[in-house]
Amino acid sequence: MNSGTGGATDKPIEITMVASEMFPFAKSGGLGDVIGALPPALGRMGHQVCVYLPAYRAVLNEYDPGSPAQVADVFAEARYEIFSLEHEGVSVRLVGADDLFDRAGFYGDARGAFPDNAERFARFARGALSHMERERAHPSIIHCHDWQSALVPPLLKYRRTGDEKWSGVSTVFTIHNLAYQGRFHPDDFAHTCLPDEAMGLDGLEFHGDLNFMKGGILFSDVFSTVSERYAQEMLTEEQGEGLEGVVVFRKDALFGIMNGIDDAVWNPESDPHIPARFSSARPEAKAACKAALQKELGLDLDAEGPLCVVVSRLAHQKGIDLILETMDELMGLGVSLAVLGTGEEDLEQGLAEAASAHPGRVAFAPAYDEALSHRMYAGGDVLLMPSRYEPSGLNQLYAMRYGALPYVRRVGGLADSVISSPTPEADSDTGFHFDAFEPADFLTGMERICRVFLEQGLWRMMMRNAMEKDSGWDGVAPRYVELYEKAMRPQPR
Ligand code: ADP
Ligand code: GLC
């Protein structure tokens, strides 16, 4: 794994991102936040950035981007409609492909993942590259994210050999979550329009299946993930999700860059979604946000312990089962709990049962609600994030900005971004950690939090540290520029 990326230059770079989410247009998790904020931050540095996004029905309905350009596929017999929008100085192109994106849901619906996802995202990659080629837009960097755009690097590799204009274009592939790989039946390979040789052991073949993410890792010039610690973890059998061999093979081209936050959207001093504004210098109004949240969710106002909040996809990754398993002990410690999230049925059911078993102490909002998420961070004393693994995590960064101290498992980006020293707490602490994914370890940390919560001076100091931590994208974007410069130089293979 690489730790340094070398010096940045001031020369503007033409950067094209290809991704399946972008806030505010389409967001289901942190990827949307990253693509909504990193391109404008690169734009502010003087670089020219464009983003390709699927033309989801919800985006077309809400943003009305006008008439599309008609584009023929350069790889096969197919056509695309390319719509255009703008977001904070960034041009956004929406790739419409027949009815593949014109439906409710990004990746699936109540019945599960869409059965034609291989075709959908193969067409997305082909459509984006076809449009670039037709427009004669050959950026210096194409930056792809996760499996949904992972076919771009292999498609480009083969395109480069036949077409000179592509030879100066370098690719960067960022992994936001190694567990979601885009693994499909080998027959789906036909949708990729890659030559047969690309479906070999040193290509997209993975235990007999087709694996999009493997293509992104193998064929990009450099690849990265969203924290330094997760970059290390991806190399191991425990966290490598079966792809560790491939990641190790290319480890000299691997970098870890911790995510930032959009501090215009996530700012308790100006946030339109919260009932009272506050800052690290004037934190008093946070108490009003807490009371309003308790009232909104039907929680007791006179609870003595901290109000713990969770804002999360309810997925195995996030370790919500550990909270359910320790619910009685948590109640015994005097904490209150508010959870906002949707996802796996058993977790939703467990949380609903906990809420009815502990009225006034546990609240569960089974929804995806952007505005409520802001009120949760603003009103919470503690954010719980007991993730099994966490490539970066943004929730803990938002929570810190809003003075809710994160209680996180010491993994991935959670370990890299939350400062917690062994007892006694140090002057620089911004939250709390636990290590083993075990009820006993989790509860020991919770007991400590309840003790510190009663020490008002110490708690306030930690809140101030957390709120003053600078996590803005303007500090992170230059690291991506270094990465792009690295990609533009030949890499070891
Ligand atoms: P992941 O991408 O793995 O879900 P992150 O911490 O990177 O995790 O990002 C999660 C993002 O999704 C944050 O912006 C968080 O506020 C948001 N989020 C998660 N669940 C919900 C929900 N139910 N309602 C609103 N926002 C949510
Ligand atoms: C993924 C990861 C999360 C990360 C986000 C954005 O969804 O699970 O940790 O913050 O991508 O990079």
Side-chain angles (χ1 to χ4, degrees):
M1 218 270 295
N2 269 288
S3 49
T5 41
T9 67
D10 295 333
K11 212 164 148 256
I13 305 174
E14 276 182 44
I15 304 155
T16 294
M17 300 230 185
V18 187
S20 59
E21 297 187 21
M22 179 182 195
F23 181 84
F25 307 117
K27 164 177 165 182
S28 77
L31 172 66
D33 286 347
V34 172
I35 308 303
L38 172 60
L42 290 164
R44 287 193 292 275
M45 291 179 73
H47 303 292
Q48 206 180 315
V49 198
C50 162
V51 179
Y52 281 87
L53 194 69
Y56 299 117
R57 178 184 291 169
V59 184
L60 295 184
N61 287 350
E62 200 178 332
Y63 291 90
D64 189 16
S67 343
Q70 305 291 329
V71 171
D73 194 312
V74 297
F75 300 93
E77 270 302 304
R79 298 196 64 77
Y80 301 93
E81 294 196 314
I82 309 288
F83 301 85
S84 296
L85 287 171
E86 277 276 313
H87 169 65
E88 292 185 25
V90 172
S91 3
V92 181
R93 308 266 181 258
L94 307 172
V95 179
D98 303 324
D99 59 354
L100 293 177
F101 300 110
D102 184 13
R103 57 177 85 163
F106 303 151
Y107 315 121
D109 57 21
R111 284 164 296 184
F114 293 130
D116 54 355
N117 272 344
E119 180 183 2
R120 295 173 79 227
F121 289 99
R123 291 282 304 278
F124 174 49
R126 285 162 40 199
L129 285 172
S130 298
H131 184 246
M132 288 179 229
E133 192 162 316
R134 299 283 168 188
E135 292 278 293
R136 295 182 216 292
H138 298 89
S140 302
I141 290 288
I142 301 185
H143 186 173
C144 309
H145 300 263
D146 276 350
W147 72 264
Q148 292 88 346
S149 58
L151 285 186
V152 169
L155 281 168
L156 197 60
K157 187 199 151 180
Y158 288 102
R159 200 77 190 159
R160 269 180 197 142
T161 55
D163 186 334
E164 236 175 56
K165 292 182 294 299
W166 285 116
S167 59
V169 180
S170 304
T171 52
V172 175
F173 179 57
T174 295
I175 296 172
H176 295 260
N177 195 332
L178 194 57
Y180 302 92
Q181 299 177 358
R183 191 169 165 175
F184 302 103
H185 191 277
D187 288 353
D188 281 320
F189 182 70
H191 296 301
T192 70
C193 294
L194 286 163
D196 288 347
E197 64 176 84
M199 189 55 183
L201 255 186
D202 53 358
L204 280 69
E205 190 272 341
F206 185 67
H207 299 288
D209 288 343
L210 165 68
N211 188 314
F212 278 36
M213 185 164 267
K214 189 178 170 209
I217 297 172
L218 285 178
F219 292 92
S220 51
D221 289 296
V222 298
F223 73 119
S224 74
T225 189
V226 283
S227 68
E228 286 185 18
R229 171 106 168 205
Y230 191 62
Q232 298 284 353
E233 291 169 350
M234 289 198 317
L235 301 164
T236 66
E237 203 183 321
E238 299 80 64
Q239 305 265 31
E241 303 288 346
L243 279 176
E244 60 277 6
V246 183
V247 177
V248 169
F249 176 69
R250 292 225 60 211
K251 71 174 185 313
D252 291 340
L254 168 63
F255 297 83
I257 301 176
M258 180 73 203
N259 281 334
I261 67 176
D262 187 332
D263 40 23
V265 175
W266 299 97
N267 183 353
E269 273 185 278
S270 56
D271 192 327
H273 301 299
I274 63 177
R277 319 263 184 278
F278 57 97
S279 64
S280 68
R282 297 176 146 269
E284 299 76 21
K286 184 169 166 78
C289 293
K290 178 176 176 179
L293 182 67
Q294 287 168 317
K295 219 163 147 200
E296 176 176 358
L297 299 177
L299 289 168
D300 295 342
L301 283 157
D302 54 3
E304 275 173 22
L307 170 57
C308 299
V309 297
V310 174
V311 180
S312 185
R313 291 184 292 118
L314 301 178
H316 183 72
Q317 170 191 354
K318 302 292 178 181
I320 307 297
D321 42 323
L322 199 55
I323 300 174
L324 287 174
E325 253 181 78
T326 52
M327 192 62 75
D328 291 341
E329 289 88 343
L330 291 176
M331 294 298 104
L333 286 170
V335 307
S336 318
L337 176 68
V339 181
L340 168 64
T342 55
E344 289 168 17
E345 223 176 278
D346 54 334
L347 295 172
E348 287 200 13
Q349 200 183 323
L351 288 163
E353 281 166 15
S356 55
H358 305 282
R361 296 287 301 286
V362 178
F364 174 43
Y368 188 93
D369 186 333
E370 197 71 34
L372 178 54
S373 76
H374 287 240
R375 296 197 291 278
M376 300 276 287
Y377 299 120
D381 297 307
V382 175
L383 174 89
L384 300 183
M385 224 169 154
S387 305
R388 284 189 167 77
Y389 70 93
E390 197 60 70
S392 165
L394 292 168
N395 299 28
Q396 82 280 12
L397 302 179
Y398 300 146
M400 285 192 272
R401 193 90 209 280
Y402 285 72
L405 299 184
Y407 179 37
V408 300
R409 180 144 180 264
R410 201 193 303 268
V411 287
L414 300 177
D416 283 358
S417 60
V418 177
I419 304 169
S420 170
S421 39
T423 39
E425 286 66 27
D427 289 353
S428 53
D429 282 6
T430 58
F432 304 91
H433 287 163
F434 70 104
D435 284 292
F437 194 82
E438 298 288 344
D441 257 52
F442 178 63
L443 285 169
T444 305
M446 264 327 291
E447 284 162 14
R448 173 180 170 188
I449 290 171
C450 291
R451 278 198 306 275
V452 177
F453 187 65
L454 297 176
E455 291 183 47
Q456 292 277 317
L458 182 54
W459 193 269
R460 277 211 208 96
M461 180 197 76
M462 289 180 68
M463 264 177 64
R464 197 171 48 245
N465 292 343
M467 293 182 79
E468 286 176 358
K469 182 182 156 76
D470 180 8
S471 299
W473 273 108
D474 287 340
V476 182
R479 297 211 55 206
Y480 275 98
V481 174
E482 291 173 13
L483 189 63
Y484 300 151
E485 285 169 347
K486 192 93 182 166
M488 291 189 274
R489 291 196 288 272
Q491 292 301 302
R493 289 261 164 189

